[in-house]
Amino acid sequence: MNRIPSILILCAALVAIAVPSAAAETEDEAGIKGAALDYLMGWYTGDPERMERALHPDLAKRIVRTDPEGKRDRVDQMSAMTLVQYTRKGYGKQVPVEERIAEITILDRYGNAAVVKAVARDWVDYLQIGKVNGEWKIINVLWEMKPRPKE
């Protein structure tokens, strides 16, 4: 019987320690999702400031493209500046509001690193997001186009 109060005190101490870290995780999760949403919704709304806020300046966005002849694949790359400029031109605004998809799933997170799956109407992105100077920024993207619907 003497052990029960000690176990209860130990459990209460563990809960007290866990609560602040759970709050920090929630704040980090919000930051991670916020960066991914700024990226997708910045694109759809043609908001270059929102897009830029989501991206680390050294971003590399890459896609593997297959040569139509089927001979070789190549890796195409886009920089943060290019993505912001495309956003400013309003290419994403061409997607009708009712067709815009912005599904965000945090696949994994450890410390200052996270991997996120972002599904848009026309593509799927795998985002590598890092906490840089207290802010979650997209550092790398590997993406793939969805098949186009047959008309």
Side-chain angles (χ1 to χ4, degrees), residues 91-108:
Y91 294 142
K93 291 168 70 173
Q94 297 172 10
V95 176
V97 173
E98 64 276 5
E99 294 181 21
R100 295 176 183 177
I101 299 171
E103 296 173 7
I104 307 299
T105 306
I106 298 174
L107 301 175
D108 196 16

Side-chain angles (χ1 to χ4, degrees), residues 85-141:
Q85 288 173 349
Y86 287 170
T87 301
R88 181 173 283 114
K89 290 180 180 180
Y91 294 142
K93 291 168 70 173
Q94 297 172 10
V95 176
V97 173
E98 64 276 5
E99 294 181 21
R100 295 176 183 177
I101 299 171
E103 296 173 7
I104 307 299
T105 306
I106 298 174
L107 301 175
D108 196 16
R109 177 182 166 258
Y110 184 80
N112 292 323
V115 178
V116 173
K117 180 179 182 181
V119 178
R121 184 190 75 170
D122 298 323
W123 68 86
V124 176
D125 288 330
Y126 291 95
L127 313 173
Q128 291 180 325
I129 302 179
K131 192 171 188 181
V132 180
N133 298 319
E135 296 181 332
W136 289 96
K137 300 288 183 179
I138 302 169
I139 297 173
N140 291 306
V141 180

Side-chain angles (χ1 to χ4, degrees), residues 122 146-151:
D122 298 323
K146 290 180 177 178
R148 293 183 189 252
K150 297 187 192 280
E151 295 181 19

Side-chain angles (χ1 to χ4, degrees), residues 22-76:
E25 278 185 48
T26 302
E27 185 178 319
D28 282 331
E29 286 176 4
I32 293 164
K33 287 180 181 178
L37 281 172
D38 280 346
Y39 167 75
L40 288 176
M41 297 311 295
W43 175 255
Y44 284 138
T45 60
D47 185 341
E49 289 80 22
R50 190 170 184 185
M51 176 63 79
E52 190 169 14
R53 181 172 64 225
L55 306 179
H56 188 276
D58 294 329
L59 170 108
K61 181 174 179 172
R62 296 181 175 104
I63 185 170
V64 177
R65 297 199 189 264
T66 303
D67 180 340
E69 308 273 321
K71 298 186 183 194
R72 299 207 36 99
D73 293 334
R74 71 177 190 275
V75 177
D76 290 341

